[in-house]
């Protein structure tokens, strides 16, 4: 595919009005043209609409992060890697004492904030919902806190995500290798003031979207809790797992399956025995025959979206809005697409505590329109044996995560031991409980899709009002 170059002629007045900047970014991004369009609206500069710590546009100080495994002594910690994820249950924990110190107290996320990544891939923006109120963020995330007497938080967020707001945000970035944003880059960001009814409606859409995402998170957690409670178990926590001792100095029976000690570590054996103390079935018996494997390798031929699938990889798999390159439909195997109710597990990676390797997600609704890379394990429940949502209620748990990691093979880059995978024990609740768990999961993913639709409606509403007012 040939490389596309962009060329644009600009008037000299643009150079003067932009501080005689000679780098291409502000002019190629469209920010200058948008600034001209917004002259037809009454606008205010963003700092005039914010309030609070450092004027309401800030990021925290760099600090040594003391990670912990016990939720009693830690707070969830949001980084630019995790901020795009839909399910925020498994965020890493930093020391609660450190987080609540005077130095980092202002790093707490609060409902209604706009959070913007400021380092690396800059400009990614999310809206803080109520379930994020006990989360702290790192120094690579800028917080924008509106003055509620000046503007609605939902409207401002919707505007920042429009094709008019995004170029403004990105035009201030600097850095050749790693891009950065600073709060001062927002000093001249113009916010159009639209009809009060439009701003209120956009705000209501965003707030309603946030509420649906809270429901999504709550339903996921309720499904997993119910699944374990019904068989007399509790999902293991990271702290409990590590309290069970180290994986050193143990004996294990010989096996023709594996000679790797990790595959027979005492903590894994203990967890499996705990699950087997109640009703259970092996994973292989609950899945459609021929599944429980990764996808096939294939050549990736780029194409226009009209003739392509969006190819989602391991990292983007867990994002609220998965991104990916567009690959030609004509040249991909059938297994790049997955059916409704499939469980996808990150199947390649390393064993770091915060790595995505062995985490699971569920495919429902519009997510079936994407293609998925070969580095993702397909777990497709046999609906004659178990409801697919119910199976996911377990597969997203910490217990499943630890078991999957304990059957790893490889040196640096890990993969699953596909001979051991079908024999993993899965708790097997009564029929009525499985149906309730399945309902929780389906409701969660319907809420997630509704949330995205509401966010899109807010953005479209603001864009349309700006365009119509600029004619």
């Amino acid at each position: 595919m040939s490389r596309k170059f962009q060329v644009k002629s600009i008037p000299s007045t643009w150079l003067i009005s932009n501080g005689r900047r000679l780098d291409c970014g502000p002019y190629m991004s469209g920010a200058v043209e948008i600034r001209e369009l917004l002259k037809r609206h009454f606008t205010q500069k963003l700092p005039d609409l914010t309030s609070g710590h450092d004027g309401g546009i800030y990021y925290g100080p760099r600090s040594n992060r003391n990670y912990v495994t016990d939720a009693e002594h830690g707070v969830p910690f949001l980084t630019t890697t995790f901020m795009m994820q839909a399910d925020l249950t498994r965020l890493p924990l930093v020391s609660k004492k450190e987080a609540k110190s005077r130095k980092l107290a202002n790093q707490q996320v609060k409902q209604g904030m706009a959070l913007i990544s400021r380092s690396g891939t800059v400009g990614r923006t999310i809206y803080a919902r109520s379930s994020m109120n006990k989360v702290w963020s790192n120094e690579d995330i800028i917080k924008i806190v509106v003055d509620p007497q000046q503007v609605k938080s939902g409207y401002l967020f919707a505007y920042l995500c429009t094709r008019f707001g995004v170029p403004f945000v990105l035009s201030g970035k600097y850095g050749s290798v790693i891009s950065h944003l600073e709060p001062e880059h927002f000093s001249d960001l113009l916010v159009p003031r639209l009809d009060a009814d439009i701003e209120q409606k956009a705000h209501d859409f965003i707030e309603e979207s946030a509420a649906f995402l809270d429901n999504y998170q709550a339903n996921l957690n309720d499904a997993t809790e119910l699944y374990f409670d019904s068989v007399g178990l509790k999902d293991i926590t990271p702290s409990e797992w590590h309290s069970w001792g180290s994986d050193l100095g143990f004996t294990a029976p010989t096996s023709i399956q594996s000679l790797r000690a990790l595959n027979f570590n005492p903590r894994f054996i203990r967890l499996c025995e705990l699950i087997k103390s109640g009703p259970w079935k092996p994973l292989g018996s609950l899945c459609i025959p021929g599944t429980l494997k990764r996808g096939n390798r294939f050549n990736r031929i780029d194409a226009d979206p009209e003739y392509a699938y969006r190819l989602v990889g391991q990292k983007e798999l867990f994002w609220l809005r998965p991104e990916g390159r567009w690959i030609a439909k004509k040249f991909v195997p059938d297994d790049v697409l997955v059916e409704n109710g499939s469980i996808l597990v990150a199947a390649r990676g390393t064993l770091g505590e915060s790595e995505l390797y062995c985490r699971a997600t569920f495919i429902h609704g519009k997510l079936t329109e994407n293609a998925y890379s070969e580095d993702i394990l397909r777990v497709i429940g046999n609906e004659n044996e178990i409801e697919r949502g119910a199976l996911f209620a377990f597969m997203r748990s910490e217990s499943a995560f630890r078991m999957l990691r304990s059957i790893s093979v490889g040196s640096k880059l890990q993969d699953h031991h596909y001979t051991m995978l079908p024999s993993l024990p899965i708790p097997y609740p009564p029929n009525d409980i499985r149906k309730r768990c399945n309902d929780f999961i389906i409701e969660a993913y319907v809420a997630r899709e509704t949330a995205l639709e509401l966010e899109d409606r807010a953005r479209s509403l603001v864009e349309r009002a700006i365009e119509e007012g600029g004619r």
Side-chain angles (χ1 to χ4, degrees):
M1 185 176 181
S2 60
R3 184 178 179 183
K4 295 181 180 179
F5 293 91
Q6 289 184 307
V7 178
K8 179 183 289 188
S9 298
I10 64 171
S12 60
T13 53
W14 287 11
L15 295 175
I16 295 171
S17 62
N18 283 272
R20 294 181 171 82
R21 284 185 64 167
L22 297 179
D23 56 316
C24 299
Y27 312 106
M28 300 302 291
S29 68
V32 178
E33 291 97 323
I34 292 169
R35 192 178 293 274
E36 294 297 318
L37 172 63
L38 292 183
K39 287 181 179 179
R40 304 172 189 176
H41 292 268
F42 169 64
T43 61
Q44 290 180 277
K45 292 184 177 180
L46 180 60
D48 295 332
L49 302 174
T50 58
S51 64
H53 179 70
D54 281 352
I57 306 174
Y58 64 96
Y59 63 89
R62 186 174 295 277
S63 63
N64 293 325
R65 301 172 190 171
N66 295 315
Y67 289 101
V68 298
T69 58
D70 192 339
E72 184 178 346
H73 303 294
V75 297
F77 191 61
L78 192 68
T79 67
T80 54
T81 301
F82 288 100
M83 68 181 288
M84 304 306 294
Q85 290 189 17
D87 183 357
L88 300 179
T89 308
R90 308 300 179 187
L91 292 179
L93 303 174
V94 295
S95 166
K96 184 181 294 186
K97 180 179 179 180
E98 178 184 334
K100 295 190 175 182
S101 67
R102 181 179 299 180
K103 181 179 180 180
L104 298 182
N106 287 310
Q107 287 306 94
Q108 184 175 0
V109 176
K110 295 181 180 178
Q111 183 179 2
M113 287 180 170
L115 307 179
I116 303 178
S117 59
R118 60 166 292 270
S119 180
T121 305
V122 303
R124 298 194 188 281
T125 307
I126 64 171
Y127 189 74
R129 46 199 185 268
S130 63
S131 56
M132 298 171 65
N133 281 340
K134 296 182 180 180
V135 171
W136 263 246
S137 69
N138 75 352
E139 68 277 4
D140 290 328
I141 297 175
I142 287 179
K143 298 180 180 65
I144 297 181
V145 185
V146 304
D147 180 349
Q149 301 302 317
Q150 298 292 328
V151 70
K152 299 290 185 180
S153 59
Y155 164 67
L156 179 63
F157 170 79
Y159 167 67
L160 292 176
C161 294
T162 65
R163 60 186 181 86
F164 302 107
V166 170
F168 265 143
V169 173
L170 297 181
S171 65
K173 70 179 182 180
Y174 70 94
S176 56
V177 179
I178 300 177
S179 299
H180 286 81
L181 280 176
E182 297 293 336
E184 52 263 33
H185 295 152
F186 293 82
S187 61
D188 291 327
L189 193 153
L190 298 178
V191 180
R193 302 314 306 268
L194 307 176
D195 184 87
D197 289 342
I198 291 176
E199 291 192 7
Q200 182 66 53
K201 193 171 184 179
H203 171 74
D204 291 343
F205 280 149
I206 296 300
E207 282 287 296
E208 192 176 355
S209 171
F212 272 106
L213 288 177
D214 284 335
N215 289 339
Y216 160 78
Q217 188 73 79
N219 280 326
L220 291 183
N221 295 341
D222 288 346
T224 299
E225 184 176 358
L226 174 62
Y227 195 97
F228 277 85
D229 285 347
S230 68
V231 291
L233 297 174
K234 292 289 183 184
D235 190 14
I236 192 173
T237 66
S239 178
E240 287 176 304
W241 174 260
H242 292 294
S243 72
W244 284 1
S246 63
D247 299 327
L248 299 174
F250 62 89
T251 60
T254 58
S255 171
I256 60 172
Q257 292 181 321
S258 173
L259 294 177
R260 189 180 187 186
L262 173 68
N263 300 153
F264 305 97
N265 72 80
R267 289 184 293 179
F268 170 51
I269 301 301
R270 178 177 175 180
L271 181 57
C272 290
E273 289 176 348
L274 190 63
I275 291 173
K276 291 179 179 180
S277 65
W280 68 280
K281 289 190 176 184
L283 178 59
S285 71
L286 298 177
C287 295
I288 292 176
T291 61
L292 285 183
K293 62 180 182 180
R294 293 194 287 112
N296 293 314
R297 292 181 179 273
F298 59 93
N299 292 327
R300 302 175 182 186
I301 309 299
D302 294 299
D304 292 331
E306 182 180 357
Y307 308 102
Y309 295 121
R310 186 195 301 275
L311 180 64
V312 176
Q314 282 193 132
K315 181 175 72 173
E316 296 82 7
L317 177 65
F318 299 93
W319 287 8
L320 181 59
R321 290 183 181 271
E323 297 178 4
R325 62 191 284 192
W326 293 95
I327 57 167
K329 295 179 180 179
K330 185 177 179 180
F331 299 99
V332 299
D334 292 339
D335 67 356
V336 301
L337 301 178
V338 297
E339 57 188 278
N340 213 46
S342 297
I343 299 167
L344 301 186
V345 180
R348 300 289 293 276
T350 57
L351 295 170
E353 281 293 299
S354 61
E355 295 293 327
L356 294 173
Y357 172 57
C358 295
R359 292 295 183 192
T361 192
F362 191 70
I363 301 302
H364 183 271
K366 292 184 178 180
L367 294 175
T368 59
E369 298 172 5
N370 296 325
Y372 296 93
S373 78
E374 70 271 15
D375 291 329
I376 297 171
L377 172 68
R378 279 75 166 161
V379 181
I380 305 177
N382 182 346
E383 293 182 295
N384 293 323
E385 295 290 337
I386 190 170
E387 293 75 5
R388 291 177 177 177
L391 180 58
F392 175 65
F394 176 76
M395 294 300 293
R396 67 176 294 272
S397 70
E398 188 71 15
S399 298
F401 171 72
R402 297 298 173 179
M403 287 200 300
L404 287 168
R405 285 206 164 190
S406 296
I407 57 166
S408 295
V409 296
S411 52
K412 169 63 176 176
L413 199 62
Q414 302 295 300
D415 196 352
H416 295 118
H417 195 304
Y418 289 95
T419 303
M420 302 182 72
L421 188 61
S423 62
L424 288 181
I426 308 296
Y428 197 68
N431 183 57
D432 61 324
I433 298 297
R434 298 199 309 271
K435 288 181 177 179
R436 285 178 59 193
C437 290
N438 182 71
D439 290 343
F440 274 133
I441 297 299
I442 299 303
E443 288 172 13
Y445 277 81
V446 169
R448 168 177 164 164
E449 198 162 295
T450 303
L452 296 180
E453 290 172 356
L454 287 165
E455 192 176 295
D456 290 341
R457 289 173 65 183
R459 184 168 54 249
S460 297
L461 175 67
V462 174
E463 286 182 344
R464 189 165 57 250
I466 292 173
E467 290 170 343
E468 292 174 352
R471 290 174 183 170

